[in-house]
Amino acid sequence: MRTLDHITIHAPVDRVFAVASDVERWPEFLSHYRWVRMMERTVTGGVVDMAAWRHFGPLRYPTWWVSQMEIVPDRHLVRYRHIDGITRGMDVEWRIRQRDDRVQVWIEHLWDGPPWPLLGRLAANRVIGPVFIHHIASRTLAGVKREAERP
């Protein structure tokens, strides 16, 4: 499974990177995030426990995962490797690039799916990726944009 979400942000690249990489602040401005907790902190990231809601109209479905997070400031990258939760083994990369007077942000998710015989890859490609991951990632990008562009 591969999902790729993208947004254009009109703010300085360093501000966009700061907002995107300061995950502990996300619940302050991303209403779909239930919590983000640093379980272990390192110089370049750490282990982060994250939970979000997937909205289905007025209904909300809880999601949760734990990731090894790596922050690469000189390249404006944030990488995650999911180490717990249904998406264990997923690789996620945030790429933040200056393009003229705007910043382009991509979030790419790569994953073979859950270890379910016969159904794991199908579930990842047909449900988990497009219904859950894309929805949450696109809302996250929109919220990062709002926060980075805020005066």
Side-chain angles (χ1 to χ4, degrees), residues 39 47-50 64-68 81-85 87:
M39 300 170 63
V47 176
V48 61
D49 176 22
M50 303 175 107
W64 162 88
W65 62 97
V66 175
S67 297
Q68 180 70 48
R81 172 78 175 177
H82 289 212
I83 59 175
D84 201 2
T87 54

Side-chain angles (χ1 to χ4, degrees), residues 14-87:
D14 289 334
R15 174 155 171 75
V16 175
F17 181 73
V19 171
S21 62
D22 189 3
V23 295
E24 290 177 287
R25 282 196 54 240
W26 283 8
E28 295 172 21
F29 59 88
L30 297 173
S31 63
H32 62 293
Y33 268 81
R34 301 180 319 165
W35 71 75
V36 177
R37 300 181 188 124
M38 289 302 289
M39 300 170 63
E40 179 184 314
R41 196 175 304 275
T42 67
V43 174
T44 60
V47 176
V48 61
D49 176 22
M50 303 175 107
W53 294 110
R54 172 29 172 124
H55 292 85
F56 293 95
L59 304 175
R60 300 183 306 176
Y61 187 88
T63 63
W64 162 88
W65 62 97
V66 175
S67 297
Q68 180 70 48
M69 178 183 180
E70 177 190 14
I71 300 170
V72 187
D74 60 325
R75 296 182 57 211
H76 294 111
L77 292 174
V78 183
R79 293 186 183 116
Y80 300 91
R81 172 78 175 177
H82 289 212
I83 59 175
D84 201 2
I86 193 171
T87 54

